[in-house]
Amino acid sequence: MELTLTQPDDWHLHLRDDDLLQAVAPHSAKHFGRAIIMPNLKPPITTTAAAVAYRESILKALPADSNFTPLMTLYLTDTTSPNEIKLARRSGVVFAVKLYPAGATTNSQDGVTDLFGKCLPVLEEMVEENMPLLVHGEVTDPDVDVFDREKVFIDTVLQPLIQRLPRLKVVMEHITTMDAVRFVESGEEGFLAATVTPQHLILNRNALFQGGLQPHNYCLPVLKRETHRQAIVSAVTSGSKRFFLGTDSAPHEKQRKECSCGCAGIFNAPVAISLYAKVFEEAGALDKLEAFTSFNGPDFYGLPRNTSKIKLTKASWKVPDSLSFSFGNIIPMFAGETLEWQPCVGEKAEMLNEVQEVGANKG
């Protein structure tokens, strides 16, 4: 079995910087046409000038023949100005602003402490500029259980935000609960959407503990109950335009994952397309895969769909146990396991198309 899809985009990607950027960027560029690049570096990407410079670093890290396009974002802080939003829109390279509640995840210490008290003028300017707000949807109150933080954030932050600024385009990123599914489905199409990761479609929270503590399955937001996973799968495979691909691929060197205080993040770039295909096949919804991977995202952002193609072949392949680099090793998601869908792009996809056409002509 083979599938030909419009080349997907990744609407939530961490590429890091320096040696890690050089190591991981080619893996995303191999399969995706574009990606929304997360700004949580040290220091964070808080200005348009910094976003432009980071974009240049990404382009330099790509293979010479790559057509991958990084779509940059700004890191929202308590001191971001409305004028910075104007500069971002006029730059032509910044496509969204990211909201990290302070302390919610990796390198979020500079995030927002009071969204309505300190950021309202910026949010109003974003409405004027049609600039989407990308949300890490978790509260950081230590009194709130880690498994409830997404629901509490919806109730206390996102619902009031949508009511106050109904024309603000909002993407709730890496949703993990049926509460998030219901919230996104309740909003106005074209103004409220969600990205979904492969890990939250395939794994539940048991994957953190089976056979011992599994640090390479640890991410934020943390994996949830099986009932939540099933709700997300149902939403994504329903054909709804409100949900689209966002891997949240977040690489860390092996020793930073396997230590007494391991980092949150799953490096899924090499396997994401294969895993999404697995989910849609098991749901009997392969006919809806292309919209999720390739249409819903650009349509929400008001960008053209890609014209290049990617081919998925039903052929078993083994995920590497580890990826080795000069600075150390990175463990990919599903390391050492066998997957059933293998993607190929560019010349390989074209060659497969040509082979099929020749065979059809002979027949």
Side-chain angles (χ1 to χ4, degrees):
M1 186 188 296
E2 292 179 344
L3 295 173
T4 299
L5 305 176
T6 300
Q7 187 169 22
D9 301 305
D10 186 348
W11 300 96
H12 183 139
L13 177 63
H14 297 269
L15 287 180
R16 312 303 193 201
D17 55 3
D18 300 326
D19 289 344
L20 206 49
L21 168 61
Q22 302 289 328
V24 303
H27 287 278
S28 291
K30 181 178 180 181
H31 296 151
F32 297 101
R34 297 167 289 197
I36 285 281
I37 309 299
M38 293 296 105
N40 58 329
L41 304 184
K42 286 185 177 179
I45 305 299
T46 58
T47 67
T48 302
V52 170
Y54 183 28
R55 181 177 183 272
E56 290 303 312
S57 297
I58 294 169
L59 293 174
K60 290 177 182 177
L62 298 176
D65 61 348
S66 176
N67 292 319
F68 178 80
T69 301
L71 309 176
M72 309 310 294
T73 62
L74 297 187
Y75 184 116
L76 184 64
T77 73
D78 289 345
T79 59
T80 301
S81 71
N83 188 58
E84 194 63 56
I85 303 304
K86 293 178 181 177
L87 292 173
R89 175 54 76 197
R90 285 152 182 70
S91 72
V93 302
V94 176
F95 290 84
V97 175
K98 180 64 183 273
L99 166 60
Y100 290 104
T105 188
T106 303
N107 296 342
S108 63
Q109 61 273 13
D110 297 308
V112 171
T113 63
D114 182 358
L115 184 65
F116 295 108
K118 297 184 177 180
C119 299
L120 191 57
V122 170
L123 297 173
E124 291 171 341
E125 186 61 36
M126 289 172 62
V127 174
E128 293 298 317
E129 296 291 347
N130 198 32
M131 180 74 77
L133 179 70
L134 315 182
V135 178
H136 181 112
E138 292 187 290
V139 297
T140 56
D141 183 344
D143 292 331
V144 177
D145 189 286
V146 67
F147 292 104
D148 297 331
R149 290 180 178 180
E150 185 169 277
K151 181 182 186 305
V152 174
F153 188 90
I154 292 170
D155 294 341
T156 62
V157 179
L158 279 182
Q159 285 281 15
L161 176 63
I162 298 301
Q163 291 170 3
R164 188 155 188 173
L165 296 172
R167 299 291 93 180
L168 178 66
K169 292 175 76 78
V170 175
V171 180
M172 190 175 184
E173 299 194 300
H174 44 49
I175 61 169
T176 67
T177 62
M178 63 178 68
D179 307 283
V181 168
R182 292 169 184 156
F183 172 68
V184 172
E185 290 177 340
S186 72
E188 183 175 347
E189 189 173 292
F191 288 93
L192 180 61
T195 58
V196 185
T197 75
Q199 55 264 31
H200 293 111
L201 285 170
I202 287 179
L203 304 176
N204 62 39
R205 63 188 187 179
N206 289 341
L208 290 165
F209 309 109
Q210 288 172 335
L213 192 62
Q214 301 295 329
H216 298 289
N217 289 337
Y218 172 52
C219 60
L220 288 173
V222 71
L223 301 171
K224 303 297 195 300
R225 289 181 180 272
E226 175 64 10
T227 52
H228 292 296
R229 187 195 71 82
Q230 291 176 2
I232 298 169
V233 170
S234 295
V236 162
T237 59
S238 70
S240 171
K241 297 179 181 179
R242 301 169 189 268
F243 304 94
F244 42 87
L245 185 159
T247 65
D248 192 21
S249 186
H252 293 283
E253 200 276 325
K254 178 181 178 181
Q255 292 185 352
R256 297 196 65 205
K257 294 286 290 180
E258 300 177 5
C259 59
S260 62
C261 187
C263 294
I266 295 175
F267 180 55
N268 61 36
V271 300
I273 297 297
S274 300
L275 294 178
Y276 286 124
K278 169 184 169 68
V279 170
F280 277 76
E281 181 184 31
E282 291 177 352
L286 279 175
D287 60 317
K288 298 180 175 67
L289 176 62
E290 186 175 35
F292 172 77
T293 62
S294 312
F295 297 160
N296 297 347
D299 290 356
F300 181 85
Y301 277 83
L303 296 172
R305 298 173 178 179
N306 291 324
T307 57
S308 54
K309 301 294 182 180
I310 183 172
K311 186 173 289 291
L312 290 172
T313 305
K314 194 70 180 292
S316 298
W317 64 284
K318 184 179 178 182
V319 182
D321 293 319
S322 177
L323 301 173
S324 297
F325 304 98
S326 60
F327 56 83
N329 298 320
I330 301 175
I331 308 300
M333 185 178 178
F334 275 44
E337 299 192 34
T338 298
L339 300 181
E340 299 301 325
W341 286 98
Q342 187 166 25
C344 57
V345 295
E347 293 182 1
K348 288 185 179 180
E350 290 173 7
M351 289 172 63
L352 282 171
N353 282 328
E354 290 173 3
V355 169
Q356 284 183 326
E357 290 172 3
V358 170
N361 291 335
K362 287 183 177 180

